[in-house]
Amino acid sequence: MPSRPPQAICNALIRRSIDLQRLYRHAAASCEPGLRMVLSENVQTLDLLIADLQAQLRASGDKPREHGSWHAIVHRHLAGRLVHTIVRRDSAWIGVLAHHESALLHAFEKAIAAVPAESALILRRQLPRLRGIHLDMHNLVGSARY
């Protein structure tokens, strides 16, 4: 089975990042102010990550993704409705976001292993940002349990 070209892998990561960014925004709108601030900072981090990946694709002559996936829109609204029915909404949002954030980090790590060295370097530059979000969410998950 032929592997996907690096541009396709990068565009898939951009799409997943946009999906997560929108999920963060959706969650932040219904969370308490302190958590909203943390989630908004993660949105800004994802903004930078997405912009960097899009710029790299444009620089190489490719067309980057500008939008997330349609199924993420459905998922975001369903998650919002489900979380609305839960007593500890902030904790529920933290769990949902942590799950998707972890999946995005793993997708980046998997992509780095699958693409040529030059493309891997571009993706590897984003890892500190993703790991920063990962640490935020890991800390929030730990505090949300209490």
Side-chain angles (χ1 to χ4, degrees):
M1 177 161 145
S3 62
R4 294 171 61 189
Q7 309 88 297
I9 291 172
C10 193
N11 268 324
L13 293 172
I14 290 171
R15 179 183 284 167
R16 286 184 78 162
S17 299
I18 291 170
D19 291 344
L20 180 58
Q21 174 195 50
R22 290 181 178 163
L23 187 60
Y24 268 103
R25 281 191 179 125
H26 190 78
S30 66
C31 290
E32 60 90 13
L35 180 57
R36 183 178 306 133
M37 186 173 75
V38 172
L39 299 182
S40 295
E41 288 173 3
N42 288 347
V43 167
Q44 292 172 354
T45 300
L46 286 168
D47 279 339
L48 294 171
L49 181 144
I50 293 163
D52 283 354
L53 291 177
Q54 289 171 333
Q56 289 293 328
L57 280 177
R58 281 188 196 100
S60 66
D62 294 311
K63 185 175 190 289
R65 289 281 179 189
E66 299 287 333
H67 304 287
S69 61
W70 64 268
H71 66 80
I73 295 169
V74 173
H75 175 74
R76 186 171 58 246
H77 289 290
L78 285 174
R81 290 188 185 268
L82 289 172
V83 166
H84 187 71
T85 65
I86 297 172
V87 175
R88 296 178 61 187
R89 291 182 188 136
D90 288 355
S91 296
W93 272 122
I94 290 168
V96 169
L97 292 168
H99 171 76
H100 287 281
E101 171 279 320
S102 183
L104 180 62
L105 179 60
H106 290 305
F108 265 80
E109 290 169 344
K110 185 177 175 183
I112 288 169
V115 296
E118 182 180 321
S119 298
L121 181 62
I122 293 166
L123 298 178
R124 201 172 280 120
R125 286 186 201 134
Q126 304 306 323
L127 286 179
R129 289 178 175 153
L130 289 169
R131 288 187 178 130
I133 293 172
H134 182 74
L135 285 173
D136 284 347
M137 296 313 296
H138 179 73
N139 289 333
L140 288 171
V141 166
S143 66
R145 291 183 183 150
Y146 300 105

